[in-house]
Amino acid sequence: MEDPTRFLRERAEIEILENEEDWVSSAWRFSEDGSIEVDLDITIHGRVYAGRMTYPGTFPNSPPYISPRDKSERWSNHQYGPGGPLCLEWRPDNWQPGITGADMVRSAHKLLSTEQHPELPHTVPSAHRLTAGQGLRGSSRRFVATAAGLANLLSLPLPSQTRLKTATIYSSGAVVMFLVSVADAHDVLQVVSDIPGGITTSSQLFSIPGEGLIFRSETADLRPQIDSADALIQVLTDAGFATDDIIVQEAGRYQARSIILLGKELSSLQVFSISPGDKLELKMQKVVWPSCSDIRLSDESQKLATIRVGIVGLGSVGSKVAVSLARSGIRRFLLVDDDYLASGNTVRHELSWANVGTHKALAVSDALSLVAADVKVDTSTARLAGQESAASAAAALKDLSNCDLLIDATANPEVFLLLAALAKQFRTPLCWGEIFAGGYGGMIARARPGRDPNPLAVRDAYHNYLATLPPAPQKNAAGYDGDEEEPLVAYDSDVGFVAAALTRLALDTALCRDPSDFPYSVYLLAMRREWIFEAPFDTRPIEVQGGGWEHNENAVGDADRIAALEILLKMDKGRAPC
């Protein structure tokens, strides 16, 4: 016992209360886990409430709580479920250490005396506001109402009966239903626009497709009490609807159905599901409403939806950058990586054991399909700058040339040379980054046509700058998740730090901000005090000068141009007609 003085005070205050009032008696005890408890018999209006007050180990910095000794009893509307503690005047949100257990007992008596008065019972107003999450804790079956889904429902005429399709995901502690499509006036199913495609297609989710019906009627505004399938059928029949397609049996088993009732107002929305099986069961879904306080992306970020980003290397850095860009508003991706996710990669990778053995490009594409509704991802498992089919590598490079921004997340100098040449040829901005082996720092860089030197010039300036510094304690880590000569020793947070900085640099580049948030082309970033870094988060910008993006027009003479054109024309004439 850390505070025997407080313990003695608590006992004295309870004893004073018993001497002053005839409605309470107490007995002190230890719980099975060693906590101090007080068994209370509180007499109110002729009834004895057998309760127990528990002092948590954090008392007096958090309040004791009073609950029924019989865990099946529900005493009050201000109680956290049957057998749960009472919600009294003093709670974790307004608790002060000077309040005693005796004060809590008085508060419990006051609450129950008011609510349980045999002649003049009163509702005690609640000063406690539950969060949305607290309100969901007792509901394992939930229906997620999205803004676009609600708009689809409200667009249906009154009265009407319409087909729908759902996707139900079984996850820890909850069975969550999503409305994925609603039939229009021509009975053609229309996709709900703000549901990510991965809800129905992702290999990471146990998603079950479902069918059902939406009934719009003013009867729903009355929110009739529906606690069984028979009650549902009766309500719909009284409203004039046909109900033949609701309860369907095949081979003696009831078929799953989702039923939505909606009147004029959204507040009338009720969602039910009929479970498949031998027994007819109707279950109500708790509606999870879209939040009015959701953080929205800036107007500037809306431009990102039209930009196609090519990311080469979906290892620890590239995977984090891809997901972060999608959350920021990028909707079009080309992902290139020939490698698969190994079990050892999971210590720093954005993906998990659910994707081990899967090609990284395909697995990250699957992850992006769950980030936003309109993400479009192309993938390639071709290996650039390695032993690969020339046709496959050429196809990947051609596809990369159609991107608006390139990101090299490989830390592979051969890949960088290819991307640098591609960027210069097609005047495409290029961003890249590195993690320093040992996890003490990293580097981010970019080259933008017309604003920075070309990528090779930026790289050369960076290496020239490094040559002026003391030797680094460990060499740069190449191929973070591949066959590097020296394993990268770094925490996920270290990689995430550099990946987040590279993402910010890429967003600034994609948006063509002027003035830019990043006035330099190269930055050295510190995670701890080491090498040239004096402290964590020490940032060293590098001034870069070098060659531009212009092609050397003098290298090709007019005679060569004419000769090449003549040969191409002859080749074209010799082609077989289609």
Side-chain angles (χ1 to χ4, degrees):
M1 181 177 294
E2 295 184 2
D3 192 349
T5 301
R6 182 58 188 257
F7 170 69
L8 294 174
R9 179 190 171 191
E10 289 295 313
R11 286 186 62 90
E13 292 291 338
I14 293 291
E15 185 176 347
I16 291 172
L17 177 62
E18 286 185 275
N19 291 333
E20 291 178 348
E21 306 289 351
D22 61 359
W23 48 260
V24 62
S25 62
S26 66
W28 292 74
R29 64 189 296 274
F30 283 108
S31 68
E32 293 181 358
D33 64 3
S35 299
I36 294 176
E37 297 179 335
V38 184
D39 282 350
L40 302 166
D41 288 332
I42 303 173
T43 303
I44 299 173
H45 305 307
R47 174 183 171 182
V48 177
Y49 291 84
R52 177 169 293 153
M53 180 167 61
T54 302
Y55 287 91
T58 53
F59 181 83
N61 296 311
S62 60
Y65 51 90
I66 298 174
S67 54
R69 295 204 291 270
D70 183 342
K71 295 305 178 184
S72 66
E73 290 186 356
R74 180 72 183 249
W75 290 350
S76 167
N77 291 325
H78 297 268
Q79 184 177 353
Y80 291 99
L86 298 174
C87 181
L88 301 173
E89 294 171 85
W90 294 283
R91 309 167 301 275
D93 59 322
N94 66 352
W95 173 255
Q96 298 178 22
I99 301 168
T100 67
D103 295 323
M104 301 296 286
V105 176
R106 290 188 180 94
S107 180
H109 181 269
K110 179 180 177 182
L111 169 67
L112 297 174
S113 296
T114 304
E115 281 193 329
Q116 306 300 332
H117 196 285
E119 298 176 359
L120 296 172
H122 289 285
T123 299
V124 177
S126 176
H128 187 58
R129 297 291 179 264
L130 294 179
T131 65
Q134 287 175 304
L136 279 177
R137 283 193 300 218
S139 304
S140 61
R141 290 188 169 270
R142 304 166 188 176
F143 173 80
V144 175
T146 64
L150 293 175
N152 280 71
L153 296 180
L154 288 174
S155 68
L156 300 173
L158 268 166
S160 65
Q161 177 176 332
T162 310
R163 290 191 303 129
L164 64 84
K165 285 189 178 295
T166 62
T168 300
I169 295 175
Y170 288 76
S171 58
S172 299
V175 179
V176 183
M177 180 192 298
F178 297 86
L179 179 65
V180 297
S181 59
V182 178
D184 60 17
H186 304 288
D187 199 35
V188 177
L189 287 168
Q190 301 295 329
V191 173
V192 175
S193 62
D194 57 356
I195 293 292
I199 290 293
T200 57
T201 63
S202 175
S203 60
Q204 299 184 53
L205 298 180
F206 181 45
S207 176
I208 298 179
E211 298 180 351
L213 295 166
I214 303 164
F215 296 92
R216 283 212 73 185
S217 169
E218 293 184 6
T219 301
D221 289 310
L222 302 175
R223 291 190 65 86
Q225 182 68 31
I226 299 174
D227 54 10
S228 67
D230 289 339
L232 174 64
I233 295 297
Q234 187 63 54
V235 167
L236 293 174
T237 301
D238 292 345
F241 291 111
T243 58
D244 297 341
D245 293 335
I246 295 179
I247 300 177
V248 179
Q249 281 185 291
E250 291 184 8
R253 290 177 57 83
Y254 291 99
Q255 301 301 298
R257 285 289 186 274
S258 300
I259 307 297
I260 294 179
L261 303 185
L262 180 64
K264 285 185 176 181
E265 305 296 332
L266 275 179
S267 58
S268 67
L269 180 67
Q270 295 187 80
V271 182
F272 303 89
S273 61
I274 294 176
S275 301
D278 300 329
K279 183 180 178 182
L280 180 59
E281 287 186 289
L282 181 75
K283 297 181 179 179
M284 189 171 187
Q285 312 286 129
K286 178 77 171 181
V287 177
V288 181
W289 298 95
S291 173
C292 296
S293 60
D294 285 347
I295 297 175
R296 306 296 181 185
L297 295 175
S298 66
D299 292 338
E300 177 192 54
S301 68
Q302 304 306 313
K303 305 174 186 176
L304 297 173
T306 63
I307 294 171
R308 188 175 190 237
V309 177
I311 303 177
V312 181
L314 279 304
S316 55
V317 172
S319 63
K320 296 179 189 299
V321 169
V323 172
S324 184
L325 286 175
R327 297 190 193 284
S328 302
I330 295 291
R331 294 293 179 262
R332 300 170 62 207
F333 291 88
L334 170 60
L335 308 180
V336 181
D337 197 319
D338 66 293
D339 198 13
Y340 67 92
L341 188 71
S343 58
N345 300 151
T346 58
V347 296
R348 289 181 297 271
H349 206 277
E350 187 70 14
L351 303 177
S352 68
W353 269 85
N355 306 105
V356 168
T358 305
H359 275 89
K360 294 175 182 176
L362 302 179
V364 172
S365 174
D366 192 43
L368 295 181
S369 74
L370 289 168
V371 172
D374 49 354
V375 170
K376 296 180 180 179
V377 185
D378 299 309
T379 61
S380 171
T381 56
R383 182 173 181 82
L384 302 184
Q387 293 183 354
E388 178 63 89
S389 161
S392 297
L397 289 171
K398 181 179 180 180
D399 207 0
L400 286 166
S401 71
N402 293 320
C403 292
D404 303 301
L405 171 65
L406 298 174
I407 298 176
D408 178 12
T410 65
N412 183 318
E414 295 177 355
V415 172
F416 177 80
L417 287 175
L418 280 176
L419 294 180
L422 198 69
K424 185 174 181 181
Q425 179 182 355
F426 293 94
R427 298 185 65 80
T428 306
L430 173 65
C431 297
W432 65 98
E434 295 178 1
I435 307 292
F436 298 154
Y440 64 88
M443 178 275 290
I444 59 172
R446 71 174 171 190
R448 298 164 295 172
R451 302 184 69 176
D452 302 303
N454 67 65
L456 290 181
V458 173
R459 183 204 61 177
D460 291 344
Y462 165 59
H463 286 297
N464 290 337
Y465 174 79
L466 292 182
T468 68
L469 301 176
Q474 300 181 54
K475 65 181 181 180
N476 294 353
Y480 309 123
D481 296 317
D483 301 324
E484 65 263 30
E485 295 179 4
E486 181 177 336
L488 171 61
V489 180
Y491 288 108
D492 180 74
S493 56
D494 299 330
V495 176
F497 175 72
V498 175
L502 180 56
T503 301
R504 290 192 61 220
L505 185 68
L507 290 171
D508 185 89
T509 305
L511 291 167
C512 300
R513 286 181 178 142
D514 191 12
S516 168
D517 291 342
F518 298 86
Y520 294 87
S521 300
V522 183
Y523 293 85
L524 299 181
L525 310 172
M527 264 83 86
R528 65 172 181 261
R529 182 178 180 180
E530 192 164 337
W531 188 36
I532 62 170
F533 300 126
E534 297 179 355
F537 310 115
D538 186 0
T539 300
R540 303 295 180 94
I542 300 176
E543 188 76 47
V544 169
Q545 295 180 350
W549 293 70
E550 298 77 13
H551 294 288
N552 187 354
E553 299 293 342
N554 297 326
V556 181
D558 290 341
D560 289 340
R561 293 179 188 277
I562 294 172
L565 180 59
E566 289 176 347
I567 294 173
L568 291 173
L569 290 173
K570 290 179 181 178
M571 291 170 58
D572 185 62
K573 288 181 180 179
R575 286 193 307 173
C578 297

